[in-house]
Amino acid sequence: MTSRREFIKKSVLLSSAAGLSTVLPSSIQRALAINPDTHSTYLDAEHIVILMQENRSFDHCFGTLKGVRGFNDPRAFRLANGNPVWLQTDKRGKTYAPFRLNIQDTKSTWMGDLPHSRSSQVDAHNYGQHDKWLIASHLSDKRYSEIPFTLGYYNREDIPFNYAMADAFTVCDQNFSSAMTSTWPNRHYMWTGTIREKPHDATSRAHIRNDLDFGEANWPTYPERLEKNGISWRIYQNDLTCGGGFTGEERSWLSNFICNTFEYFSQYNVKFSARYATSLREQISKITNEIKSLKERLKSMSNADQEFQKSQNALTKKEEVLTKAQAEFKYYTKEKFSQLSPLEKNLYQKAFTTNKNDPDYHTLTPLTYTDGDTERTVNIPKGDVLYQFRHDVDHGTLPTVSWLVSPQKFSDHPSAPWYGTWMVSEILDILTKNPDVWKKTIFILTYDENDGYYDHIPSFMPPNTRQANPGKCSDGIDAKVEYIPLEQELQYGVNKNAARGSQIGLGYRVPMIVASPWSRGGRVNSQVFDHTSILQFLEVFLSQKYNKEVREDNISTWRRTICGDLTSVFTKYQEEQKKKEYILKRDPVVEKIYNAQFKQEPAGYKALTFQEVEQIKADTLSSEYLPQQEKGVKPACALPYQLYVDGNRSRDGKNIELQFQASNEIFGNHSAGSPFNVYSILPYQSEQQANTYEPFRVWHYAVSAGDTLKDQWPINAFKDNAYHLRVNGPNGFFREFKGDDTDPNIIVHCDYERSKDTLTGHLLIHLQNLDAKQEYNLEIIDNAYRKNWSQSVVLKPDASESMVIKLDKSFGWYDISVQVRNFQKFEKQYAGRVETGKEGFSDPLMGRII
């Protein structure tokens, strides 16, 4: 198709022949220029279009993007050895920091993918220590095995279209893959909300790997629910995987990369495809000839011949395969298909929509161009890989819910060059061609998992119910269903070297951009999401727009508690926004991807010396050895979080007690529950062996909206009776509690100032002295947003004090410590953002503007 080929040449995704370097992508320009009706909301949309691409982590793509929680995260996780999370150590003991891959001047995009199996993903996580990335994830090619490739990242110069989309619409920087594993399980979560054969039965098999055969799975799926409720839907791809038929590079350009996982669900009947019948016919012919040949060979052998039994076994296996193929060939016919129920026929036809009406959809054609003095040729699809999707948009038959599945070469998978930019831009171009379509469309772009690429934020997980004192969940949350025991892995035949007993997820952060008339403006959304959030959004959208309750019952209570439904991404469109409309700068879009394979491998990394590591630890935010984010802030979506975590000694003084709360006081039914990770920074008593200490421990919590949880840590369980706990929650929520068994007898509560039934955006610190005789001199210190600011408080015996800390100049962000004179080990630190229900700005400290 001319427009498609012209776009390829224009963006130089496949060659450098076009020579255009500073063209603003027209698809984004057009989307920004189309305004919906004044005062409309996302509920005025009529089309939800979803594209899940392949295998990129958030830091790998957007770690340097302005305003997101990336490489300048001011309170990022610290490893057990005290190093910032950016510093990862390999098996040789060498320590590296993230480094730029440089997509144009190196062949990084041609060097293959990283390990991203269940075992490698769990091993990198290392029970929450998050420190085995360089050991668990490295390129298999021995020439590159010592490159710390997992730490490689791209920036705006490398992937300008992706950054332009994030600048134009809303990027979600707390979006996690659903499972700590590979592609299929994560896509199962997007389409079905689970990976278990019986979703709420912890003893049911969990398909945590790419381990299904065609037509093997059968648990309920969301498109079935759409079909039964009369909601139009469709899944678009160039062609299927089942049945094969492609040779060489055809498969990577023209198939669906085995990424439409409904090919593995029996109720979708993929084997009725004409291509599967053709493959069976070819298989039967081939095996019949092989059996005939084997029988002839056996006639010439004696029973004592060493090869006789081997050939006899081969014959038996081939006869079994032939019998199965003949039975399937007899069953999967047009006549049998006509006997399926209307529901079954619709599931097949809608899930496996292909470009069969395009006469060239199975054809490649050469594109020849010159790279300097060198003539190069690359094959590209002759047909339109978006033919049917384009047709349905142009003819007004785009369904309410659409999913698109890319061929491998357009999927952004690291095993293929990064050509996926074209796919995304072309989808936007198709949707914005008719303004009336774009005015009523929401386009969700996300990625299934991180490949083996590093991300600095440890995943939120449910408590490990096989562990003593693993953390807690609110009542009604079943954490067991989110855990796969080692014995279950072995029961289903997983090799013991690959088997892992661990939580299913969440996996690591992956990019997500929501493009629509109600999510433009270059915002960042920092609510916790995973792939089931897309299903939860569809539930809300269909319920409120069509009054149809299309609920995905497979989603666990734990995921529904901690993962939002995407509605916080959207704002009501106001006409005056025209004056504030985000104007993109003219960024280069030349990405000489094809030519890059002839360049050198990335070399921008170095093993850090001890002195360099110490310098980074002392001044992480401005270290020359760490990557820096773009300077500035982004508009930040209002989030439905009203979160509290306070840590105080128990009344008897023997325990440090933490109280976790996800209040629904301010945001009512819209309030979100929250996950929290708690880390012991000092050695803590081992649960397995008496009189020994673990250098690092993690506890996981999930608090439902409106609920409060409490947990205690015996102070004498910490070495030398000195405790040090850190708490991480969503969007930079941070608490730290330090002290020992001689702590002052005071209580500190970090609250938010109120004005009637709203929050003002300011912090409120409550102090209470429980000692009837002793007064304490306290110091309240701002660690980040107001340099050299502190305030002294004298807390009389049995007295209470409250103080408001104004946050106008920091957009509601705070980082406050409470210290007490003469108690050197005692300190409480509170950091995060006060949510008021109004849009704000991203962290100005992270943006380096204060």
Side-chain angles (χ1 to χ4, degrees):
M1 185 170 183
T2 302
S3 62
R4 179 189 55 77
R5 289 174 61 83
E6 285 304 314
F7 181 86
I8 290 176
K9 292 178 182 179
K10 186 175 181 180
S11 64
V12 202
L13 287 171
L14 301 183
S15 76
S16 60
L20 300 175
S21 63
T22 57
V23 179
L24 176 66
S26 60
S27 54
I28 295 178
Q29 281 184 320
R30 191 183 299 156
L32 292 175
I34 299 171
N35 297 320
D37 295 336
T38 303
H39 305 303
S40 65
T41 73
Y42 74 90
L43 292 174
D44 290 294
E46 295 179 0
H47 311 289
I48 313 297
V49 178
I50 302 157
L51 173 65
M52 177 175 275
Q53 294 285 73
E54 285 280 305
N55 296 41
R56 302 286 178 176
S57 80
F58 189 89
D59 278 343
H60 170 70
C61 292
F62 288 133
T64 64
L65 177 66
K66 176 179 70 176
V68 300
R69 198 148 296 278
F71 291 133
N72 282 94
D73 191 343
R75 290 164 290 274
F77 180 70
R78 289 264 173 172
L79 304 178
N81 62 9
N83 286 347
V85 68
W86 319 111
L87 305 186
Q88 295 286 321
T89 302
D90 67 12
K91 61 184 178 182
R92 302 167 298 169
K94 293 185 176 182
T95 299
Y96 296 88
F99 68 101
R100 184 185 167 201
L101 290 172
N102 193 331
I103 204 170
Q104 183 170 306
D105 296 328
T106 74
K107 59 180 179 181
S108 60
T109 195
W110 294 91
M111 292 169 67
D113 55 342
L114 290 160
H116 49 281
S117 64
R118 169 66 168 170
S119 55
S120 63
Q121 297 275 41
V122 170
D123 290 352
H125 181 253
N126 190 24
Y127 304 102
Q129 297 190 59
H130 209 68
D131 60 356
K132 293 294 187 287
W133 286 88
L134 290 177
I135 296 173
S137 187
H138 50 81
L139 292 170
S140 58
D141 190 322
K142 291 183 179 180
R143 294 174 298 170
Y144 311 134
S145 61
E146 293 188 1
I147 298 177
F149 211 73
T150 179
L151 296 175
Y153 67 86
Y154 293 111
N155 66 10
R156 185 180 293 272
E157 293 179 46
D158 300 313
I159 48 174
F161 184 88
N162 304 63
Y163 275 64
M165 271 198 77
D167 286 342
F169 301 110
T170 298
V171 59
C172 302
D173 71 350
Q174 297 279 276
N175 179 56
F176 294 80
S177 61
S178 289
M180 196 168 280
T181 184
S182 49
T183 290
W184 295 358
N186 279 293
R187 289 180 178 260
H188 294 334
Y189 272 109
M190 175 185 67
W191 272 315
T192 77
T194 189
I195 58 172
R196 287 196 182 273
E197 294 176 350
K198 296 179 181 178
H200 301 291
D201 181 355
T203 65
S204 172
R205 183 175 183 180
H207 291 276
I208 194 64
R209 294 173 173 79
N210 296 0
D211 60 1
L212 290 166
D213 199 358
F214 295 115
E216 182 180 355
N218 60 11
W219 64 82
T221 66
Y222 201 69
E224 289 175 77
R225 304 184 196 280
L226 294 176
E227 187 66 28
K228 291 175 181 177
N229 281 276
I231 304 295
S232 61
W233 64 278
R234 196 169 289 277
I235 302 174
Y236 297 92
Q237 59 252 287
N238 189 62
D239 208 344
L240 307 182
T241 297
C242 184
F246 293 116
T247 59
E249 64 179 336
E250 291 176 347
R251 184 179 299 106
S252 61
W253 283 113
L254 304 176
S255 187
N256 67 4
F257 201 24
I258 333 178
C259 284
N260 181 346
T261 58
F262 289 129
E263 293 194 34
Y264 302 99
F265 282 75
S266 60
Q267 58 267 48
Y268 287 81
N269 288 293
V270 71
K271 293 182 179 180
F272 277 109
S273 69
R275 293 179 62 238
Y276 189 66
T278 299
S279 71
L280 284 174
R281 188 182 298 109
E282 293 173 352
Q283 182 184 29
I284 289 168
S285 175
K286 179 183 177 182
I287 295 178
T288 299
N289 291 332
E290 290 173 346
I291 289 173
K292 182 178 179 181
S293 177
L294 272 172
K295 286 182 176 179
E296 290 297 321
R297 287 179 59 194
L298 284 167
K299 288 179 181 178
S300 63
M301 296 180 186
S302 69
N303 291 355
D305 194 319
Q306 289 183 342
E307 291 296 315
F308 179 84
Q309 192 58 50
K310 186 177 179 181
S311 296
Q312 185 63 53
N313 291 340
L315 176 62
T316 300
K317 289 182 180 179
K318 288 184 181 294
E319 287 176 334
E320 291 173 354
V321 172
L322 178 62
T323 299
K324 180 181 178 181
Q326 289 172 331
E328 287 198 335
F329 186 74
K330 183 177 180 180
Y331 180 82
Y332 291 107
T333 64
K334 291 182 180 179
E335 291 74 22
K336 286 287 185 181
F337 183 81
S338 67
Q339 297 172 17
L340 296 178
S341 68
L343 171 64
E344 291 171 316
K345 290 177 183 176
N346 284 339
L347 291 179
Y348 171 86
Q349 291 165 346
K350 294 180 181 180
F352 306 131
T353 300
T354 69
N355 295 324
K356 62 184 179 181
N357 293 324
D358 182 347
D360 294 317
Y361 86 119
H362 274 185
T363 307
L364 296 180
T365 187
L367 173 65
T368 301
Y369 65 95
T370 56
D371 173 18
D373 296 329
T374 303
E375 184 174 273
R376 303 197 190 283
T377 299
V378 57
N379 287 325
I380 62 173
K382 185 177 182 181
D384 179 7
V385 297
L386 290 165
Y387 176 89
Q388 192 59 49
F389 176 72
R390 190 188 308 272
H391 174 277
D392 288 357
V393 173
D394 289 347
H395 289 79
T397 56
L398 184 67
T400 302
V401 184
S402 305
W403 291 272
L404 297 108
V405 182
S406 305
Q408 180 182 2
K409 285 286 180 74
F410 287 131
S411 73
D412 280 347
H413 193 287
S415 67
W418 202 324
Y419 295 150
T421 299
W422 174 82
M423 188 82 172
V424 177
S425 184
E426 193 71 357
I427 291 168
L428 263 181
D429 197 60
I430 292 168
L431 291 171
T432 56
K433 182 179 178 181
N434 182 343
D436 288 335
V437 173
W438 183 247
K439 285 180 181 180
K440 297 184 177 181
T441 298
I442 295 168
F443 175 36
I444 300 172
L445 167 66
T446 189
Y447 288 74
D448 55 9
E449 35 103 349
N450 64 302
D451 197 70
Y453 285 109
Y454 163 91
D455 187 80
H456 81 276
I457 292 186
S459 303
F460 294 112
M461 289 186 163
N464 177 356
T465 55
R466 295 296 188 90
Q467 181 184 26
N469 304 316
K472 292 183 177 181
C473 292
S474 291
D475 289 344
I477 295 176
D478 181 7
K480 295 190 295 297
V481 76
E482 292 287 349
Y483 185 87
I484 302 175
L486 179 62
E487 59 267 25
Q488 189 180 89
E489 292 261 273
L490 299 173
Q491 174 188 346
Y492 289 108
V494 178
N495 182 287
K496 63 181 180 180
N497 292 326
R500 297 290 185 275
S502 185
Q503 297 97 321
I504 293 173
L506 300 178
Y508 302 109
R509 285 193 309 167
V510 292
M512 180 160 69
I513 296 174
V514 181
S516 76
W518 310 279
S519 57
R520 68 192 200 187
R523 293 175 176 83
V524 58
N525 185 290
S526 300
Q527 187 174 359
V528 173
F529 301 132
D530 83 328
H531 299 326
T532 70
S533 295
I534 296 175
L535 294 177
Q536 293 184 61
F537 171 68
L538 291 174
E539 291 175 348
V540 174
F541 177 79
L542 297 173
S543 172
Q544 295 190 24
K545 187 173 181 68
Y546 298 113
N547 197 29
K548 292 193 175 184
E549 299 298 324
V550 190
R551 181 179 171 85
E552 183 45 80
D553 293 329
N554 295 341
I555 302 173
S556 73
T557 51
W558 178 75
R559 289 180 190 270
R560 285 194 181 275
T561 297
I562 72 162
C563 298
D565 59 15
L566 300 188
T567 55
S568 63
V569 166
F570 303 99
T571 59
K572 180 184 292 187
Y573 177 76
Q574 301 287 349
E575 189 170 2
E576 60 267 24
Q577 285 183 345
K578 291 180 181 179
K579 300 176 182 178
K580 300 178 182 179
E581 186 170 298
Y582 190 87
I583 304 299
L584 291 171
K585 295 181 179 180
R586 291 169 60 87
D587 295 311
V589 293
V590 169
E591 311 223 299
K592 299 177 182 177
I593 291 176
Y594 188 75
N595 298 336
Q597 66 183 298
F598 308 107
K599 303 292 180 68
Q600 63 183 1
E601 63 263 20
Y605 57 91
K606 70 182 294 287
L608 298 167
T609 66
F610 173 80
Q611 291 77 15
E612 290 166 343
V613 170
E614 291 302 305
Q615 187 274 327
I616 292 170
K617 290 166 69 174
D619 188 12
T620 303
L621 287 183
S622 59
S623 172
E624 63 181 297
Y625 303 109
L626 295 180
Q628 296 291 309
Q629 283 180 250
E630 299 167 336
K631 191 174 181 179
V633 296
K634 279 182 170 289
C637 295
L639 306 180
Y641 287 132
Q642 187 184 351
L643 306 181
Y644 303 91
V645 177
D646 286 310
N648 293 287
R649 277 206 310 174
S650 58
R651 291 285 182 174
D652 61 10
K654 296 181 179 180
N655 303 292
I656 175 70
E657 181 177 275
L658 266 59
Q659 178 171 288
F660 308 85
Q661 184 180 11
S663 177
N664 60 358
E665 173 198 2
I666 300 298
F667 304 119
N669 293 335
H670 298 288
S671 301
S674 180
F676 298 99
N677 292 338
V678 177
Y679 303 96
S680 174
I681 306 305
L682 295 176
Y684 189 78
Q685 174 67 52
S686 171
E687 302 283 355
Q688 285 76 36
Q689 189 173 353
N691 302 318
T692 60
Y693 293 90
E694 299 177 51
F696 179 94
R697 272 287 299 273
V698 58
W699 295 263
H700 299 288
Y701 297 83
V703 187
S704 298
D707 197 18
T708 299
L709 293 179
K710 292 182 180 180
D711 210 351
Q712 290 186 336
W713 288 256
I715 294 177
N716 64 11
F718 294 87
K719 192 173 182 180
D720 300 326
N721 291 338
Y723 65 85
H724 187 172
L725 295 174
R726 284 191 181 132
V727 183
N728 289 101
N731 191 26
F733 182 95
F734 178 89
R735 299 290 188 263
E736 186 169 52
F737 306 104
K738 295 188 287 187
D740 61 11
D741 54 2
T742 66
D743 278 354
N745 197 13
I746 64 172
I747 290 177
V748 182
H749 172 53
C750 180
D751 200 354
Y752 312 120
E753 186 187 43
R754 290 160 178 75
S755 175
K756 296 182 180 180
D757 57 351
T758 62
L759 300 182
T760 66
H762 304 305
L763 207 63
L764 185 60
I765 302 295
H766 299 290
L767 307 167
Q768 183 180 4
N769 186 351
L770 301 180
D771 199 305
K773 297 180 179 180
Q774 185 174 354
E775 74 175 25
Y776 296 103
N777 294 301
L778 283 69
E779 197 76 14
I780 315 299
I781 303 167
D782 191 316
N783 300 306
Y785 299 97
R786 287 185 289 180
K787 289 184 178 179
N788 303 317
W789 181 92
S790 65
Q791 184 168 332
S792 299
V793 177
V794 176
L795 202 55
K796 300 291 185 181
D798 281 333
S800 298
E801 294 280 348
S802 295
M803 61 181 301
V804 174
I805 300 176
K806 297 292 185 180
L807 305 176
D808 304 85
K809 295 182 179 180
S810 60
F811 314 130
W813 292 90
Y814 60 92
D815 185 346
I816 299 295
S817 287
V818 178
Q819 299 176 356
V820 180
R821 190 181 303 169
N822 299 325
F823 291 86
Q824 300 301 318
K825 293 183 179 180
F826 178 91
E827 182 175 355
K828 300 181 190 296
Q829 185 178 354
Y830 308 88
R833 186 179 87 172
V834 181
E835 295 295 341
T836 64
K838 298 178 181 178
E839 182 180 293
F841 290 93
S842 59
D843 191 338
L845 180 62
M846 192 165 62
R848 293 178 291 143
I849 64 172
I850 59 170

